[in-house]
Each structure stands twice: as structure tokens, then as C-alpha cells.
């Protein structure tokens, strides 16, 4: 009789542990990216940004898109994300020389402030970055530097769509107003 009680008690413990196991469930969200004017990478390197552009460089929790050209006027695009200030992440890229491979002319960076009605974290930024890269993969008018990221991003959030606000210049050409996400 004692043996049965112990087994039944253990069974109950296991059920309780399984019942209270923490699972992260996210509701469907929509993401808005508000794009800023581009920053010249040369001006950023030389610390010659206007007060307005200095404010853009200090933004955190952003998606960014580098655009550059080669001597044949072919364009390249490189997409990234950071929870830190855009200027900090851009300086890292400049040091490592790991962006816009072989497209050193007219380099600029566009900054997109991300909002989604919840606290922005690295997981969400990485997922949005991956979605944008997936969208850009089909365009043949430029070289996409980091298309390999389409295979490596994790989808933690259920995103309904991405809305791109304040699209100007290259961003208007690269991204539509809405990027619907297929279930």
C-alpha cells in the first residue's frame, strides 16, 4: 500500500510540474517602422552630422539599412538591427569592415525606429530584420549583402504585417508601405 501512495504522489508531482511549466505565448502584433532621413557614413565617421542627424544617430532599438555603390554605379544593400544606438553599431561595422562589401562609394545608412505596442527586444528586432531581408531577396536591382540571414532568424513573435512610415529616397524604392506576413 505504501508503494502505491509513493507512485501516485510522484505522478501527481510530475503532472503539477508539467502544468506550471512556463511557456511564452505571444499575441499577433503589427510592427511599425518609422524611417529617418539617411546619414552619410563619411559624415558620421568625420563627426560632421547636423544636430538633427546626430539625434538620428543616437536612436536605439532600430532597424538600419546601409546603401552604397561601386565604381560602376551598381548598388548594394545591407540590412541590420541593434538595441544600442545606431552610431555605436555603425562604428562597429566600420571597424570590422563587414558591411557593403566592395561598395565603398556614396555610403549612407537609413535608420528605422521600431514600435509594436510592446517592449522592443533583440528577438523582435532580429525577426523584423529577417523579414525585411526575405522581402528584399527577390529584388535584382542591387546586391543584397546579407541574404544568408533569411535562413538564420528565429520567429518568436507572430507578426501580422510591417508598416513602413516616412519612406523617402532609397527606402521608398526598396520597401513598400506594408509588408504582409503570411501565416
Amino acid at each position: 500500500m505504501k508503494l502505491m501512495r509513493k507512485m501516485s504522489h510522484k505522478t501527481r508531482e510530475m503532472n503539477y510540474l508539467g502544468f506550471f511549466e512556463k511557456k511564452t505565448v505571444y499575441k499577433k502584433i503589427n510592427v511599425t517602422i518609422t524611417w529617418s532621413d539617411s546619414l552619410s557614413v563619411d559624415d558620421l565617421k568625420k563627426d560632421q552630422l547636423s544636430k538633427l542627424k546626430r539625434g538620428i544617430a543616437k536612436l536605439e532599438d532600430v532597424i538600419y539599412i546601409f546603401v552604397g555603390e561601386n565604381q560602376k554605379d551598381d548598388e548594394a544593400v545591407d540590412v541590420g538591427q541593434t538595441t544600442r544606438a545606431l552610431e555605436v553599431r555603425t562604428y562597429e561595422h566600420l571597424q570590422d569592415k563587414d558591411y557593403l562589401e566592395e561598395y565603398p562609394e556614396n555610403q549612407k545608412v537609413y535608420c528605422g525606429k521600431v514600435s509594436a505596442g510592446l517592449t522592443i527586444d533583440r528577438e523582435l528586432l532580429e525577426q523584423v530584420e529577417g523579414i525585411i531581408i526575405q522581402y528584399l531577396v527577390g529584388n535584382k536591382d542591387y546586391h543584397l549583402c546579407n541574404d544568408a540571414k533569411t535562413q538564420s532568424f528565429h520567429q518568436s513573435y507572430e507578426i501580422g504585417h510591417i508598416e513602413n512610415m516616412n519612406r523617402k529616397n532609397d527606402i521608398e524604392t526598396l520597401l513598400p508601405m506594408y509588408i504582409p506576413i503570411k501565416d
Side-chain angles (χ1 to χ4, degrees):
M1 193 71 134
K2 281 186 172 180
L3 182 59
M4 286 183 79
R5 278 191 202 156
K6 285 184 181 178
M7 288 174 70
S8 122
H9 180 66
K10 281 187 175 183
T11 304
R12 261 188 284 162
E13 281 180 12
M14 289 186 342
N15 286 340
Y16 284 127
L17 289 174
F19 180 76
F20 290 111
E21 208 173 79
K22 185 180 177 188
K23 293 187 181 181
T24 305
V25 178
Y26 295 108
K27 65 178 185 167
K28 191 171 221 168
I29 59 171
N30 293 316
V31 173
T32 300
I33 303 174
T34 305
W35 293 97
S36 300
D37 290 334
S38 66
L39 304 176
S40 161
V41 173
D42 281 339
D43 288 350
L44 187 62
K45 281 194 285 193
K46 296 174 186 171
D47 197 25
Q48 295 179 342
L49 295 176
S50 68
K51 187 175 183 178
L52 175 67
K53 297 213 176 190
R54 170 84 27 226
I56 294 169
K58 294 202 177 295
L59 289 174
E60 298 176 348
D61 299 324
V62 298
I63 296 294
Y64 56 87
I65 297 179
F66 285 108
V67 178
E69 299 173 357
N70 63 16
Q71 291 182 344
K72 298 176 190 174
D73 291 334
D74 296 327
E75 276 194 332
V77 174
D78 199 339
V79 181
Q81 55 74 31
T82 185
T83 55
R84 297 171 293 149
L86 174 65
E87 67 183 340
V88 170
R89 185 68 184 117
T90 301
Y91 286 130
E92 288 174 352
H93 280 299
L94 292 171
Q95 248 179 346
D96 297 340
K97 298 180 182 169
D98 65 346
Y99 75 108
L100 293 177
E101 309 104 23
E102 300 174 28
Y103 292 83
E105 309 295 323
N106 301 318
Q107 290 182 344
K108 52 192 160 196
V109 60
Y110 289 88
C111 179
K113 185 68 176 162
V114 176
S115 60
L118 49 84
T119 302
I120 304 303
D121 62 13
R122 185 171 180 89
E123 276 186 71
L124 178 61
L125 290 172
E126 286 177 352
Q127 186 172 343
V128 171
E129 173 193 25
I131 291 167
I132 290 172
I133 291 169
Q134 277 183 333
Y135 177 82
L136 294 174
V137 162
N139 191 329
K140 303 295 181 206
D141 295 338
Y142 53 83
H143 171 71
L144 183 58
C145 295
N146 56 347
D147 57 351
K149 284 190 180 178
T150 60
Q151 305 304 317
S152 65
F153 77 96
H154 179 68
Q155 297 185 21
S156 300
Y157 293 88
E158 188 178 347
I159 297 175
H161 70 265
I162 296 174
E163 182 176 6
N164 293 295
M165 304 293 295
N166 201 31
R167 296 176 313 129
K168 297 178 186 172
N169 304 321
D170 294 306
I171 297 300
E172 187 173 23
T173 305
L174 292 171
L175 298 174
M177 182 67 97
Y178 290 95
I179 300 174
I181 312 303
K182 296 176 185 168
D183 291 333

